[in-house]
């Protein structure tokens, strides 16, 4: 193949950019955000009412209370009606208020040093398979040089072996190492007895053996027989937040419970050995990793938990054919299975992101930002003024940003569209550099980075946002319940956190 064809990008430059958020804002997603806001309207109404009543009663003297009692003795009907109303409202309040969901702790799996894969090793192993043409080897090298990945990412043994050995046994071996490694560390941190876990949610998109991954965990840790377990497959890199959302809903109906969420991807059986370029990109970006998260709805756990879940917002664009097919597992022309990334991926991701943040905005933005947004929206939609919609400053709503480390191009575009700083993007960029794209678990490596840097203070709000096949964009908002002391933390960054951040050039030659 000629050099000119080699230099031709996989997709056109316009396709690699997110759409400009200022060009269009759909009102229906704004209304959806306010719909979520008033879902717990009774809770929002009664809380200030109770505060006002208590504040008023606190100003009464004993003489005032005696006069009030003397007055009520002669108004028995009023007393009965008022008491009945008070009991009714109090009962309604306690029955309808959502159970708090606490993140007790989480852990991220760090593979052994033997699994480490430099970019040079990646190219050597790819060449040694004999599966790829010389042109496609050069293509993979160019992707790596521009990917933002560093020299210390990890791949499973079956892929690094010469020759590679992708088989079910090796895939199970990788899954067990990742899941059990993360869970063992989590249980050691939280001192929770596995028998006390009542809910288990596991997500892995491309590896779904029988028995399931969730069954493997139940068997290994001898979890109780009535555990509520779920195994989510095929839901892409955003499945980690789908698992959190599912666990949150389950914790609303199972009182005094612990929920264990395990997010991972499996590389062994999903390495692509063909020569379709749209399928080769995933080889260059995806790496080994996983995370385990322990959630609780026990109010007694608040004092030892790290975070409280505030909001989850899910956006699904699967009804659109272009969105549905932009990340697609399929056979290539030679019958080899891979995941094809469409040239429309960035545009689809941008549309899903815009929808998600438009819905999320009313839930999290300060009133000043919402008023500015509405003023420009009314001017554009009703008064037909030629002005661009105001894009709210999400830095006023969040202290930390954990954006799925899917690839450098996505991070660059999100940084530009949301007007984020290098400091805001640092956890995502450093996670991509150090661990690569670990799929649904990348958000937790990013949060672990912020903790290791000592950035998380009590009351801080963290925004996790991820994209996935289908096409989906999901968000979770957490509030820190305490200041995280990095000296007391154990996470994959602690032994080397002083080395970060590192400079990541736009092109790093191999």
């Amino acid at each position: 193949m000629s050099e000119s064809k080699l230099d031709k990008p996989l997709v056109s430059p316009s396709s690699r950019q997110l759409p400009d958020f200022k060009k269009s804002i759909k009102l229906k997603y704004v209304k959806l955000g306010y719909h979520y806001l008033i879902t717990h309207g009774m809770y929002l109404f009664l809380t200030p009412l109770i505060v006002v009543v208590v504040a008023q009663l606190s100003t009464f003297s004993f003489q005032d209370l005696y006069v009030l009692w003397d007055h009520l003795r002669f108004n028995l009907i009023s007393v009965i009606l008022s008491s009945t109303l008070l009991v009714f409202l109090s009962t309604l309040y306690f029955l309808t208020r959502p159970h708090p969901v606490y993140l007790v702790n989480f852990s991220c799996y760090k593979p052994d040093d033997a699994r480490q894969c430099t970019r040079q090793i990646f190219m050597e192993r790819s060449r040694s398979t004999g599966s790829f043409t010389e042109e496609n080897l050069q293509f993979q090298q160019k992707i790596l040089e521009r990917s933002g990945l560093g020299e210390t990412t990890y791949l499973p043994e079956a892929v690094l072996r010469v020759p590679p050995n992708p088989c079910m046994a090796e895939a199970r071996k990788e899954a067990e190492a990742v899941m059990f490694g993360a869970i063992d560390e989590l249980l050691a941190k939280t001192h929770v007895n596995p028998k006390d876990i009542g809910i288990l949610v596991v997500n892995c998109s491309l590896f779904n053996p029988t028995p399931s991954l969730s069954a493997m965990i139940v068997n290994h840790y001898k979890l109780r027989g009535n555990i509520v377990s779920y195994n989510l497959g095929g839901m892409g890199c955003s499945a980690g937040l789908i698992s959190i959302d599912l666990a949150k809903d389950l914790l609303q109906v199972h009182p005094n419970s612990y929920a264990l969420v395990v997010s991972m991807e499996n590389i062994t059986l999903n390495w692509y050995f063909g020569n379709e370029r749209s399928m080769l990109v995933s080889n260059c970006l995806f790496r080994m990793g996983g995370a385990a998260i322990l959630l609780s709805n026990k109010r007694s756990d608040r004092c030892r938990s790290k975070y409280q879940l505030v909001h989850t917002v899910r956006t699904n664009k699967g009804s659109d054919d272009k969105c549905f097919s932009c990340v697609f597992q399929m056979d290539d022309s030679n019958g080899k299975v891979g995941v094809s990334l469409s040239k429309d991926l960035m545009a689809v991701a941008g549309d899903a992101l815009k929808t998600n943040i438009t819905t999320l905005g009313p839930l999290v933005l300060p009133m000043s930002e919402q008023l500015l947004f509405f003023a420009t929206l009314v001017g554009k939609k009703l008064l037909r003024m030629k002005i661009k919609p105001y894009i709210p400053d999400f830095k006023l709503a969040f202290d930390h940003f954990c954006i799925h480390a899917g690839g450098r191009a996505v991070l660059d575009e999100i940084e530009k569209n949301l007007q984020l700083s290098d400091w805001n993007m640092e956890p995502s960029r450093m996670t991509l550099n150090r661990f690569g794209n670990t799929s649904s678990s990348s958000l937790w490596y990013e949060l672990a980075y912020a903790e290791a840097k000592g950035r998380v203070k009590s009351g801080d709000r963290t925004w996790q946002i991820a994209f996935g096949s289908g096409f989906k964009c999901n968000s979770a908002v957490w509030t820190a319940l305490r200041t995280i002391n990095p000296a007391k933390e154990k996470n994959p960054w602690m032994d080397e956190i002083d080395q970060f951040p590192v400079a990541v050039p736009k092109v790093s030659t191999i």
Side-chain angles (χ1 to χ4, degrees):
M1 186 177 292
S2 67
E3 185 64 28
S4 62
K5 290 185 179 181
L6 269 178
D7 290 336
K8 186 177 180 181
L10 180 64
V11 296
S12 64
S14 60
S15 298
R16 289 201 299 261
Q17 297 177 353
L18 296 183
D20 188 351
F21 290 178
K22 294 183 178 181
K23 289 184 177 178
S24 65
I25 296 293
K26 293 186 177 179
L27 190 59
K28 65 179 181 179
Y29 298 122
V30 179
K31 293 190 290 185
L32 182 60
Y34 282 103
H35 168 74
Y36 289 155
L37 182 64
I38 65 174
T39 298
H40 303 297
M42 182 61 70
Y43 175 73
L44 295 173
F45 171 75
L46 286 178
T47 299
L49 181 62
I50 293 173
V51 171
V52 170
V53 171
V54 171
Q56 184 65 34
L57 290 176
S58 65
T59 63
F60 281 21
S61 65
F62 285 110
Q63 182 62 31
D64 293 331
L65 292 175
Y66 177 78
V67 172
L68 179 62
W69 170 249
D70 192 52
H71 174 72
L72 291 176
R73 281 192 305 166
F74 299 102
N75 294 273
L76 188 58
I77 295 178
S78 299
V79 172
I80 293 174
L81 291 176
S82 300
S83 300
T84 302
L85 180 62
L86 181 62
V87 170
F88 172 75
L89 292 177
S90 300
T91 303
L92 190 62
Y93 168 75
F94 284 108
L95 288 178
T96 59
R97 65 172 181 166
H99 292 291
V101 176
Y102 303 116
L103 192 160
V104 181
N105 215 322
F106 69 96
S107 63
C108 300
Y109 176 67
K110 187 175 184 179
D112 298 333
D113 291 342
R115 305 279 76 77
Q116 215 163 80
C117 178
T118 65
R119 295 180 303 155
Q120 186 66 39
I121 290 176
F122 176 92
M123 291 308 304
E124 290 174 358
R125 297 296 190 273
S126 295
R127 189 177 299 276
S128 67
T129 64
S131 301
F132 308 111
T133 64
E134 185 61 34
E135 291 82 2
N136 279 334
L137 286 169
Q138 294 180 38
F139 171 77
Q140 291 181 76
Q141 180 172 325
K142 289 185 177 182
I143 293 292
L144 272 180
E145 290 174 343
R146 294 161 174 78
S147 66
L149 271 69
E151 303 290 354
T152 53
T153 59
Y154 301 95
L155 283 174
E157 180 182 356
V159 174
L160 290 176
R161 185 181 298 170
V162 181
N165 182 32
C167 63
M168 180 61 76
E170 288 294 330
R172 286 183 180 274
K173 182 178 177 181
E174 179 192 352
E176 290 172 355
V178 173
M179 294 190 305
F180 301 161
I183 296 172
D184 286 347
E185 182 178 306
L186 179 64
L187 295 178
K189 285 180 178 181
T190 59
H191 306 291
V192 168
N193 187 329
K195 295 288 187 182
D196 293 333
I197 297 172
I199 299 167
L200 172 64
V201 183
V202 182
N203 68 268
C204 181
S205 290
L206 296 176
F207 181 56
N208 294 287
T210 300
S212 66
L213 297 173
S214 60
M216 291 166 63
I217 294 174
V218 171
N219 176 261
H220 182 80
Y221 292 97
K222 308 305 176 187
L223 302 182
R224 65 197 202 196
N226 65 341
I227 190 167
V228 180
S229 65
Y230 293 85
N231 198 94
L232 307 182
M235 304 196 79
C237 298
S238 67
L241 295 186
I242 294 175
S243 296
I244 293 294
D245 184 62
L246 174 59
K248 177 197 75 173
D249 290 344
L250 292 170
L251 287 170
Q252 298 306 309
V253 295
H254 295 276
N256 297 314
S257 296
Y258 285 115
L260 173 62
V261 175
V262 180
S263 294
M264 61 167 289
E265 195 50 82
N266 191 283
I267 304 294
T268 298
L269 282 181
N270 297 290
W271 199 255
Y272 177 61
F273 291 96
N275 282 283
E276 291 286 343
R277 290 194 175 186
S278 64
M279 298 182 180
L280 283 171
V281 177
S282 59
N283 281 11
C284 301
L285 298 179
F286 282 88
R287 294 295 183 266
M288 189 177 181
I293 305 97
L294 186 69
L295 304 176
S296 171
N297 59 8
K298 302 179 181 181
R299 295 187 183 274
S300 59
D301 278 325
R302 179 185 173 89
C303 59
R304 73 181 186 120
S305 296
K306 285 184 172 182
Y307 305 93
Q308 181 171 349
L309 183 60
V310 183
H311 301 293
T312 55
V313 174
R314 293 170 57 178
T315 299
N316 195 316
K317 294 286 187 175
S319 60
D320 183 279
D321 291 343
K322 184 172 68 173
C323 298
F324 172 75
S325 59
C326 70
V327 180
F328 208 88
Q329 188 178 26
M330 58 187 290
D331 296 325
D332 67 9
S333 56
N334 294 314
K336 294 180 179 179
V337 178
V339 177
S340 174
L341 304 182
S342 164
K343 64 180 181 179
D344 298 317
L345 177 59
M346 290 294 288
V348 167
D351 184 55
L353 172 63
K354 183 173 66 175
T355 300
N356 190 269
I357 65 176
T358 303
T359 304
L360 180 69
L363 301 174
V364 298
L365 287 169
M367 188 56 65
S368 59
E369 289 295 291
Q370 296 196 42
L371 289 175
L372 284 171
F373 172 78
F374 265 110
T376 57
L377 190 64
V378 168
K380 182 178 177 63
K381 299 288 187 181
L382 299 182
L383 305 180
R384 304 298 180 184
M385 298 172 63
K386 293 183 178 180
I387 56 176
K388 293 181 178 180
Y390 175 71
I391 301 300
D393 185 357
F394 279 87
K395 296 190 293 296
L396 298 176
F398 303 112
D399 302 283
H400 310 285
F401 295 81
C402 295
I403 302 164
H404 169 53
R408 181 173 192 153
V410 174
L411 295 181
D412 287 346
E413 289 299 314
I414 292 178
E415 177 181 7
K416 181 178 71 175
N417 271 278
L418 295 184
Q419 301 174 6
L420 302 179
S421 67
D422 290 341
W423 190 89
N424 297 140
M425 298 298 297
E426 188 179 307
S428 299
R429 293 195 185 279
M430 293 306 102
T431 295
L432 182 63
N433 179 268
R434 176 63 181 85
F435 294 99
N437 181 348
T438 60
S439 190
S440 58
S441 65
S442 68
L443 301 174
W444 301 103
Y445 287 90
E446 294 163 17
L447 186 55
Y449 180 90
E451 291 185 353
K453 280 292 185 182
R455 296 180 176 181
V456 181
K457 311 298 181 185
S458 179
D460 281 1
R461 300 184 99 191
T462 299
W463 180 19
Q464 292 181 317
I465 187 163
F467 310 91
S469 58
F471 192 86
K472 298 177 287 294
C473 179
N474 302 314
S475 289
V477 179
W478 305 87
T479 297
L481 297 176
R482 55 185 169 89
T483 298
I484 307 299
N485 182 359
K488 297 181 180 180
E489 286 301 306
K490 182 182 179 182
N491 72 44
W493 295 96
M494 294 311 303
D495 295 337
E496 51 192 283
I497 191 61
D498 293 337
Q499 302 173 23
F500 293 91
V502 297
V504 183
K506 290 188 179 296
V507 179
S508 179
T509 305
I510 299 176

